[in-house]
């Protein structure tokens, strides 16, 4: 039933990697959901829409991961995720904290991809998609932080940037 180099005896190794991918997806679903609520509270409509969109993307990835695991191994991926509530006080704290989380999780996804490829000879599409989403958001956050540092976190610049994100996400 397996593809490439997998055998039923190697499922446990792949299973642990799939669990890590699933936990990352669930972690980012919860983080985006908490950030969505927090962005409503601090009146950042663009970031609110962005986090709504991201939570849907991570949810779709999680469901695809479950489907792939069931199709390949006839087992669903259990979750072991532990999540702390995400409550940044302002947009500066949100962007800095979120960037740190993205950097850490991007490294973890890279390690998972490398391990699966080295051991089994393929790269899961779900892992590549997760890596792409994390990387895009990391780059956007770094640019926003740089832009806001240049203007000393002026609220007019922040709100105009948020308005730009709002319009862009509305189109999506």
């Amino acid at each position: 039933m397996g593809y490439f180099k997998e055998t039923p005896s190697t499922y446990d190794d792949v299973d642990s990697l799939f669990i890590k991918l699933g936990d990352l997806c669930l972690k980012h679903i919860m983080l985006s959901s908490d950030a969505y609520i927090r962005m409503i509270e601090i009146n950042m409509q663009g970031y609110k829409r962005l986090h709504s969109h991201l939570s849907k993307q991570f949810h779709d990835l999680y469901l695809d991961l479950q489907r792939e695991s069931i199709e390949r191994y006839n087992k669903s991926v259990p979750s072991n995720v532990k999540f702390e509530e995400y409550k940044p006080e302002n947009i500066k704290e949100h962007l800095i904290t979120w960037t740190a989380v993205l950097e850490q999780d991007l490294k973890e996804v890279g390690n998972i991809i490398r391990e699966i490829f080295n051991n089994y000879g393929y790269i899961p599409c779900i892992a590549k998609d997760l890596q792409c989403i994390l990387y895009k958001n990391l780059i956007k956050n770094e640019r926003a932080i740089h832009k806001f540092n240049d203007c000393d976190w002026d609220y007019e610049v922040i709100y105009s940037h948020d308005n730009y994100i709002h319009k862009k996400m509305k189109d999506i």
Side-chain angles (χ1 to χ4, degrees), residues 10-24:
T10 62
Y11 174 72
D12 293 334
D13 297 335
V14 176
D15 185 44
S16 67
L17 298 172
F18 271 45
I19 289 171
K20 288 179 185 178
L21 284 174
D23 288 349
L24 284 172

Side-chain angles (χ1 to χ4, degrees), residues 12-56:
D12 293 334
D13 297 335
V14 176
D15 185 44
S16 67
L17 298 172
F18 271 45
I19 289 171
K20 288 179 185 178
L21 284 174
D23 288 349
L24 284 172
C25 287
L26 288 173
K27 175 184 173 183
H28 282 277
I29 290 169
M30 292 184 277
L31 185 136
S32 291
S33 297
D34 281 359
Y36 171 83
I37 293 166
R38 189 62 189 137
M39 293 303 111
I40 293 171
E41 292 172 353
I42 62 174
N43 196 28
M44 300 299 282
Q45 300 302 313
Y47 280 100
K48 175 195 80 158
R49 280 184 188 248
L50 174 66
H51 284 292
S52 174
H53 179 70
L54 286 174
S55 64
K56 291 173 187 171

Side-chain angles (χ1 to χ4, degrees), residues 50-65:
L50 174 66
H51 284 292
S52 174
H53 179 70
L54 286 174
S55 64
K56 291 173 187 171
Q57 282 186 317
F58 289 122
H59 183 259
D60 290 344
L61 281 177
Y62 182 72
L63 293 179
D64 288 345
L65 180 71

